[in-house]
Amino acid sequence: MAFLNSPSNSGSTWTVFGSLAGCLVPLAAWAEASPVTDEIVVIAPTPVMGTGVREDQLVSPVQSLGSDDLERIQAQNIAEHLRYQLGSVSINEAVSNPYQPDVQYRGFTASPLLGLPQGVSVYMNGVRFNEPFGDTVNWDLLPTDAVSNMTLYSGSNPLFGQNTQGGAIAMTTKNGFNTEYNELELGAGQFGFRQAQFQSGGNGQLGNQDVGYYVLLNREEEDGWRDASGSDIRQAMSVLSWRSLNSSLNLTVLLDDNEMIGNGAVPQALMDIEGRSAIYTNPDITRNRLNYFALDGDHWFSDTLQLAGNIYLRRNLTTTVNGDDSDYEECLLNGAETLCEEDEDGGDEEPVTFVGYDDDDTLEAIAAELGLDIDADDVDGTLNTSRTEQNSQGFSLQLASSAPVAGRDNLFTAGVTLDQADIHFRSRTGFAILNNDEPGDARDVTAIGLYDSESEVSLQTDTQTMGVFFSNTLAVDDQLSVTVGARYNHVHIKMQDQLESGPGSLDGDHTFTRVNPMLGAAYVMDNGLNVYASYSESSRAPSPAELSCADENDPCKLPNGFVSDPPLEQVVTRSVEAGLKGTASRNIRWTAGVFRSTSHDDILFQQAGGLPSEGYFANVGKTRRLGTELGMTGHWSDVQVAVSYTWMRATFETPFVSFSPNNPQGSDRQVEAGDQIPGLPQHNLKMAADWNLLPQVSVGGDIQYRSSQYFRGDEANENEQLAGYTLVNVRASYAPTDAIEIYGRVVNVFDREYETFGVYGESDEVLDEAYPGFEEDSFVGPGAPRTVKAGIKIGF
């Protein structure tokens, strides 16, 4: 049993279960048999893609997508590939923008939204892609067609560092040695979708050196199927590569300039009146501008000793503009009209101090001074803006030895990582007039040019995360392999308020340290059955965004305001999993496994105001994800099928009181141990098939089923759940020549109406004028209707 180098994940190993029903059975029956080959799949055990181990030596499940898998599905972005192809992955469309989904794996989340507990780490070419401010993941920054391989690692694997509570996603990109073609792609589709993309890759010799290049230029635009919900995606990526007999280097440059409008959840009753494309308030614009430079490489000192690593510089500027309802109301100050913050507890109202004016200046006096015709009672909206500049740099260095130990095959890996970031966050709330008088109004806002001084935030944050890790896999004999490993994490977060100092400011200095271990074994029986079991731990230090919004007595609005920071404990997740993998009928591979992940001192965003984004972060005790995964893949000469099924129960294990101010049952709901975590379905089923109908024609499709879930805000599980749904998608491609491919895809073939996300909120203040008597506390994220997209790829 040998350890192998140069990982190659050309085929999909994603978890699947059962067999496709109905029409898939006849396909398999008459297809010419093509037995499962003894393909040796090698998986890198750490984010630094160096030396790997055989798949049957892994102590926890791994799912991989190669370039063929990524091409076949015709997905619009990386998150869609995860949703449609990998087991135990689901999507919440909280923002209702295809480039900003919440990706959930085993009940843990990787999302671009502040306020969600981020429990999945993401890497590109060994460089961590989670943002340093909130550990969020901006899926729009990852160019889909530049990815050559994507691997999803399960469990609380400490080798992948912070946020690896449920799993880790590691991607490698194309280069001039694995991509040797030129291609122009033009695409179009419903709801104003249009795309133009150019790829080129190749290699040759410069002097006596092997060099290669890869370039991708991508532009995507769409109007969006909901009102005022368009996107403009601009991506440019280049990779320069160098190879020698024992060494390699890749210089990657990635530039993004993306603007996305995602106007979020909508009251259920409003869709009955205005249709499913309706929006609640707008605008809600996010713009990401990324400059990314990275150098990765490796060197073999001998046949058994490899040094690999990377170094990177990264700057991401995120700006947001959000129009919303107002938490302010008309009041009097010294006999003149002005604005006060609402006090839902019946306490004294606090008059607003406007930016640039004295405490006793009223809105009436300011309007008269500026010559504005503004009545305080008409100022019923807000325009919230934020600017987050994140400058980060770091490196990873890893040494791997596959030298035998006591005559047995052994892979020892050790390394160090360092990530440092300088972050400047600024935000403020401006007063506006909400255009909501008539049913046909846009419900957008018109700013009046005045700002609440209490809402202003200017926060400078310095973060430093250092990790030291090792892993060792020993082949005890020809059948048994044992893996042990650990990682030491040291996280230092220093926050400096740029507006205030002393008590009540955002100043803070926090240090979190921990050693996280792992242990597992894999056994290959005489009949080829592969058995595995493992125990692992991983930790998540509170992000600067969480630390700056942790006071229950002074809730903040995300991402536009923070308060002083009572300390939060870091989250520690302990995972146990075990399972079987095997083959049957010469053409079928199957898997079966169980997992349990328990998070201690889990951090939850407690909603504490009229808006879903108003609240604070708090440690709520233990949470648990317990589940079963089953899967099957079948391969014949012209047909391949796959099915995956996951049952998962995600629960709170510590009683606490959830504020839930908009819960239909009332606020301050008692959550008991065993109550299910909202937003997570128990059942997740995926079925897929692809058929090479003719040498030039292929057809395929998939079925996605997701069961019901509780609304966010119903942590006590007292109300009706958001209904489950089933989606059917189909695809086809035609290649009349080797240089031309025409493709098409239909998502949601049967135009099913469904929702992926639910939360409670107040709607009457916005909609009561246009629709008198309107009351609805259930907000949902509607899923997209039937959507057709097609395109052509021209190679030259």
Side-chain angles (χ1 to χ4, degrees):
M1 183 180 295
F3 294 94
L4 302 175
N5 305 320
S6 304
S8 173
N9 296 306
S10 58
S12 168
T13 59
W14 47 295
T15 307
V16 286
F17 166 61
S19 60
L20 285 173
C23 64
L24 300 184
V25 176
L27 292 178
W30 61 259
E32 179 183 352
S34 177
V36 173
T37 62
D38 293 328
E39 174 186 24
I40 299 176
V41 179
V42 179
I43 305 293
T46 70
V48 182
M49 295 296 182
T51 302
V53 298
R54 282 176 37 168
E55 187 182 17
D56 60 13
Q57 296 174 312
L58 296 173
V59 298
S60 60
V62 168
Q63 305 176 64
S64 292
L65 298 175
S67 56
D68 291 342
D69 305 303
L70 297 170
E71 285 282 338
R72 184 177 64 253
I73 298 299
Q74 304 172 15
Q76 187 171 343
N77 52 57
I78 292 295
E80 278 196 2
H81 280 298
L82 296 167
R83 177 184 191 178
Y84 293 126
Q85 298 204 70
L86 298 182
S88 299
V89 175
S90 60
I91 292 288
N92 273 352
E93 297 175 271
V95 176
S96 292
N97 183 287
Y99 301 96
Q100 296 176 288
D102 303 338
V103 175
Q104 298 173 326
Y105 173 61
R106 288 188 174 182
F108 295 92
T109 301
S111 168
L113 298 182
L114 289 173
L116 293 182
Q118 307 287 340
V120 178
S121 55
V122 178
Y123 290 85
M124 185 177 77
N125 295 333
V127 176
R128 182 177 174 84
F129 220 77
N130 297 70
E131 301 290 347
F133 187 52
D135 293 316
T136 55
V137 179
N138 288 306
W139 299 106
D140 63 288
L141 300 179
L142 297 163
T144 305
D145 287 339
V147 176
S148 66
N149 178 267
M150 181 163 53
T151 304
L152 175 58
Y153 295 80
S154 70
S156 308
N157 190 330
L159 303 181
F160 286 81
Q162 290 289 308
N163 295 89
T164 311
Q165 296 174 275
I169 300 167
M171 290 170 283
T172 56
T173 59
K174 296 177 180 177
N175 58 57
F177 292 96
N178 60 28
T179 304
E180 298 182 65
Y181 58 79
N182 305 305
E183 180 184 271
L184 175 66
E185 179 178 355
L186 300 174
Q190 287 180 283
F191 311 114
F193 177 79
R194 54 268 190 204
Q195 178 187 21
Q197 179 175 274
F198 171 74
Q199 292 186 80
S200 178
N203 61 77
Q205 284 199 321
L206 183 64
N208 60 351
Q209 304 293 312
D210 292 327
V211 294
Y213 78 93
Y214 172 76
V215 175
L216 177 142
L217 302 173
N218 182 52
R219 177 74 180 271
E220 297 177 32
E221 293 181 287
E222 68 169 11
D223 301 329
W225 69 272
R226 293 182 67 190
D227 297 338
S229 298
S231 298
D232 187 356
I233 305 299
R234 291 178 285 186
Q235 301 165 325
M237 184 175 186
S238 67
V239 182
L240 297 177
S241 304
W242 168 81
R243 299 287 186 272
S244 70
L245 182 63
N246 299 314
S247 305
S248 69
L249 284 174
N250 300 291
L251 174 63
T252 301
V253 178
L254 173 61
L255 306 176
D256 289 282
D257 189 352
N258 304 332
E259 183 174 287
M260 299 153 291
I261 306 176
N263 287 304
V266 61
Q268 284 183 308
L270 184 62
M271 292 193 298
D272 298 333
I273 300 172
E274 298 184 351
R276 295 181 62 80
S277 63
I279 58 176
Y280 180 54
T281 59
N282 73 99
D284 196 340
I285 304 171
T286 299
R287 185 176 184 185
N288 286 321
R289 284 167 285 180
L290 175 71
N291 297 328
Y292 171 93
F293 305 89
L295 181 68
D296 68 88
D298 63 68
H299 175 73
W300 288 92
F301 295 102
S302 69
D303 292 341
T304 60
L305 187 63
Q306 181 203 43
L307 180 68
N310 58 67
I311 186 170
Y312 73 92
L313 293 171
R314 188 175 190 268
R315 179 184 184 270
N316 186 25
L317 177 61
T318 299
T319 56
T320 67
V321 178
N322 172 241
D324 219 324
D325 186 17
S326 175
D327 283 337
Y328 304 89
E329 59 187 14
E330 180 187 9
C331 64
L332 294 177
L333 176 62
N334 301 326
E337 288 187 354
T338 193
L339 294 172
C340 288
E341 287 198 62
E342 292 181 0
D343 193 326
E344 298 181 4
D345 297 327
D348 293 335
E349 294 180 333
E350 186 71 25
V352 167
T353 299
F354 299 93
V355 174
Y357 295 90
D358 296 331
D359 292 349
D360 57 356
D361 285 333
T362 64
L363 178 61
E364 182 179 333
I366 295 171
E369 177 185 335
L370 299 176
L372 301 176
D373 184 16
I374 298 175
D375 188 279
D377 190 47
D378 294 332
V379 182
D380 56 353
T382 56
L383 186 65
N384 305 301
T385 58
S386 73
R387 184 182 190 275
T388 309
E389 182 178 353
Q390 303 179 79
N391 296 294
S392 55
Q393 52 272 325
F395 72 88
S396 300
L397 198 60
Q398 172 182 291
L399 188 67
S401 171
S402 57
V405 172
R408 307 304 307 179
D409 290 329
N410 189 78
L411 176 64
F412 174 78
T413 304
V416 59
T417 66
L418 179 65
D419 299 279
Q420 189 273 335
D422 299 317
I423 308 159
H424 191 190
F425 174 87
R426 292 185 295 180
S427 70
R428 62 181 178 178
T429 295
F431 297 103
I433 297 172
L434 183 61
N435 303 310
N436 64 332
D437 296 334
E438 302 293 335
D441 288 345
R443 288 192 292 276
D444 57 358
V445 297
T446 302
I448 67 172
L450 298 175
Y451 300 88
D452 179 8
S453 64
E454 288 296 318
S455 73
E456 282 203 300
V457 174
S458 182
L459 176 65
Q460 178 69 39
T461 301
D462 298 318
T463 69
Q464 188 177 89
T465 302
M466 189 263 291
V468 179
F469 63 88
F470 85 92
S471 173
N472 193 88
T473 300
L474 173 67
V476 179
D477 55 34
D478 292 339
Q479 294 174 295
L480 176 65
S481 298
V482 175
T483 298
V484 297
R487 180 183 178 110
Y488 168 74
N489 291 325
H490 183 280
V491 181
H492 182 224
I493 301 172
K494 184 177 182 179
M495 300 181 294
Q496 294 179 305
D497 194 325
Q498 304 299 292
L499 300 177
E500 298 184 38
S501 61
S505 73
L506 299 177
D507 292 347
D509 197 324
H510 307 270
T511 300
F512 303 91
T513 61
R514 198 169 196 279
V515 176
N516 295 309
M518 64 174 295
L519 172 66
Y523 187 80
V524 181
M525 297 183 179
D526 292 336
N527 61 2
L529 188 66
N530 187 196
V531 183
Y532 65 86
S534 67
Y535 171 82
S536 59
E537 296 183 9
S538 185
S539 57
R540 179 174 84 83
S543 69
E546 291 169 327
L547 288 168
S548 300
C549 182
D551 190 346
E552 65 179 291
N553 297 315
D554 194 0
C556 65
K557 297 175 185 176
L558 292 173
N560 301 304
F562 297 117
V563 297
S564 56
D565 60 326
L568 295 171
E569 300 294 330
Q570 66 179 324
V571 184
V572 176
T573 302
R574 298 180 172 92
S575 294
V576 178
E577 51 188 309
L580 305 170
K581 294 181 288 186
T583 60
S585 303
R586 301 175 67 239
N587 305 94
I588 296 173
R589 290 178 176 173
W590 59 268
T591 64
V594 295
F595 63 88
R596 188 184 77 165
S597 296
T598 303
S599 296
H600 301 258
D601 293 316
D602 208 354
I603 297 174
L604 178 72
F605 185 71
Q606 282 265 46
Q607 187 181 343
L611 300 174
S613 62
E614 184 175 352
Y616 65 95
F617 294 98
N619 293 110
V620 296
K622 289 197 299 183
T623 61
R624 178 168 293 155
R625 282 84 168 167
L626 175 68
T628 300
E629 295 172 327
L630 304 169
M632 184 277 296
T633 55
H635 295 264
W636 292 265
S637 59
D638 296 320
V639 177
Q640 55 181 327
V641 298
V643 183
S644 70
Y645 169 72
T646 303
W647 172 85
M648 183 190 69
R649 183 174 175 83
T651 56
F652 299 103
E653 295 299 313
T654 301
F656 69 98
V657 175
S658 174
F659 277 12
S660 305
N662 300 306
N663 190 301
Q665 305 292 332
S667 60
D668 299 330
R669 312 310 301 171
Q670 179 62 50
V671 180
E672 301 292 350
D675 285 339
Q676 295 184 52
I677 300 174
L680 302 176
Q682 281 198 3
H683 304 281
N684 193 342
L685 174 66
K686 304 181 183 184
M687 302 188 293
D690 285 278
W691 180 21
N692 293 325
L693 182 62
L694 296 171
Q696 299 87 10
V697 179
S698 65
V699 295
D702 56 85
I703 300 172
Q704 311 280 325
Y705 168 72
R706 184 180 180 186
S707 65
S708 59
Q709 58 177 286
Y710 286 101
F711 281 68
R712 289 184 192 169
D714 189 18
E715 285 74 16
N717 300 171
E718 299 173 299
N719 304 310
E720 184 179 352
Q721 296 187 58
L722 190 69
Y725 59 88
T726 301
L727 298 180
V728 178
N729 311 308
V730 297
R731 55 187 174 269
S733 66
Y734 170 56
T737 71
D738 291 340
I740 297 177
E741 178 187 356
I742 302 169
Y743 65 87
R745 184 169 182 238
V746 183
V747 176
N748 192 6
V749 172
F750 298 108
D751 204 19
R752 173 72 184 272
E753 294 184 355
Y754 67 101
E755 290 79 39
T756 67
F757 166 79
V759 67
Y760 295 124
E762 289 180 324
S763 61
D764 55 338
E765 291 188 8
V766 170
L767 298 172
D768 188 60
E769 288 191 47
Y771 303 106
F774 187 97
E775 288 188 18
E776 176 65 83
D777 47 34
S778 297
F779 286 62
V780 296
R786 181 192 299 119
T787 306
V788 179
K789 294 180 181 178
I792 184 171
K793 297 178 181 180
I794 304 171
F796 56 93

